[in-house]
Amino acid sequence: MELTKYDHACVRVEKNGKVLVIDPGTFSTGPVLDGADAVLITHEHFDHVDVDKLKAASPALEIYTCEGVAAGLADVPAKVQVVRHGDAWEAAGFRVRAFGEWHAKNHPDVPVVQNIGFLVDDEIFYPGDALTVPDAEVPTLLVPTGGPWLKLGDMVTYLRTIRPARAFSTHDGLYNEIGLGLVDNWLKGEAEELKADVRRLAVGESVTIS
């Protein structure tokens, strides 16, 4: 599989000519849905789902998401399917399992929304805006490294709990260059601690995962 990092919280996974896109939100620029066969959406926040992008996408696209997101996609021509914690299915040749139910707690006046994480091909786990620990081995973790709901200590504890062989930064679009430098230093420290490949991919950078 080839994993490509896009702006903020969006990634593309490609295998055998098929393309799976996770969380193409409004912060994600460029043709993130070009050639996509399926889309996974963790939750309803705009930095993770862009309804206009989905409206303009191919009607043949398959979208898998939680009820909260699906309710806002009535005008999207693609097929939208609701999935929940514990579900397993195949999307464009990828095996997918859903873990988790809720977004991490944020501002006290902001309701907690639904959030599901996705384990792709028993290899890549994308938790969305949560620190869900799935009941499964996670070889590759897409670890959130920034956001109003996240503390550094929580991110470090999450990495050390999951203990993946590889972890790549996601949810990092709110940082300027100074902040991204801090993220790089934090992840370098965890790479040494875990003796694993833990780092931030630049936007547009790809990595092959076997």
Side-chain angles (χ1 to χ4, degrees):
M1 287 188 292
E2 183 175 76
L3 171 73
T4 302
K5 172 76 165 69
Y6 278 80
D7 306 84
H8 189 53
C10 179
V11 297
R12 281 171 61 109
V13 185
E14 302 184 40
K15 180 185 74 171
N16 299 331
K18 296 293 186 178
V19 178
L20 180 71
V21 179
I22 307 177
D23 279 8
T26 58
F27 293 171
S28 302
T29 60
V32 295
L33 292 181
D34 281 9
D37 298 287
V39 169
L40 309 178
I41 302 172
T42 59
H43 66 286
E44 64 193 65
H45 290 159
F46 64 88
D47 56 329
H48 293 258
V49 57
D50 185 336
V51 177
D52 289 337
K53 278 191 182 75
L54 297 175
K55 285 181 179 179
S58 168
L61 188 68
E62 297 178 358
I63 301 172
Y64 299 87
T65 189
C66 61
E67 292 178 68
V69 174
L73 300 182
D75 295 331
V76 171
K79 183 179 181 181
V80 180
Q81 300 180 69
V82 171
V83 293
R84 300 173 179 84
H85 172 74
D87 286 349
W89 67 97
E90 185 172 298
F94 295 88
R95 299 183 310 278
V96 186
R97 298 165 64 188
F99 292 93
E101 297 180 272
W102 301 106
H103 191 289
K105 291 183 179 179
N106 201 341
H107 190 285
D109 297 336
V110 176
V112 175
V113 300
Q114 292 177 327
N115 180 100
I116 49 176
F118 299 107
L119 179 63
V120 178
D121 274 355
D122 294 320
E123 175 65 51
I124 300 170
F125 184 61
Y126 185 107
D129 282 10
L131 299 176
T132 302
V133 178
D135 184 20
E137 183 180 357
V138 177
T140 303
L141 176 65
L142 297 175
V143 58
T145 56
W149 53 273
L150 183 66
K151 295 187 296 185
L152 169 61
D154 292 338
M155 182 269 285
V156 169
T157 298
Y158 188 50
L159 278 168
R160 295 183 184 183
T161 299
I162 299 287
R163 304 192 73 83
R166 291 163 297 277
F168 305 113
S169 170
T170 188
H171 214 273
D172 50 20
L174 301 182
Y175 286 114
N176 60 14
E177 290 305 312
I178 296 172
L180 291 174
L182 291 174
V183 169
D184 291 340
N185 285 335
W186 297 334
L187 295 182
K188 180 181 179 182
E190 289 312 298
E192 295 170 354
E193 171 70 26
L194 298 174
K195 296 179 174 55
D197 182 10
V198 182
R199 54 194 165 100
R200 179 176 62 89
L201 301 176
V203 173
E205 185 178 354
S206 299
V207 61
T208 299
I209 299 171
S210 58

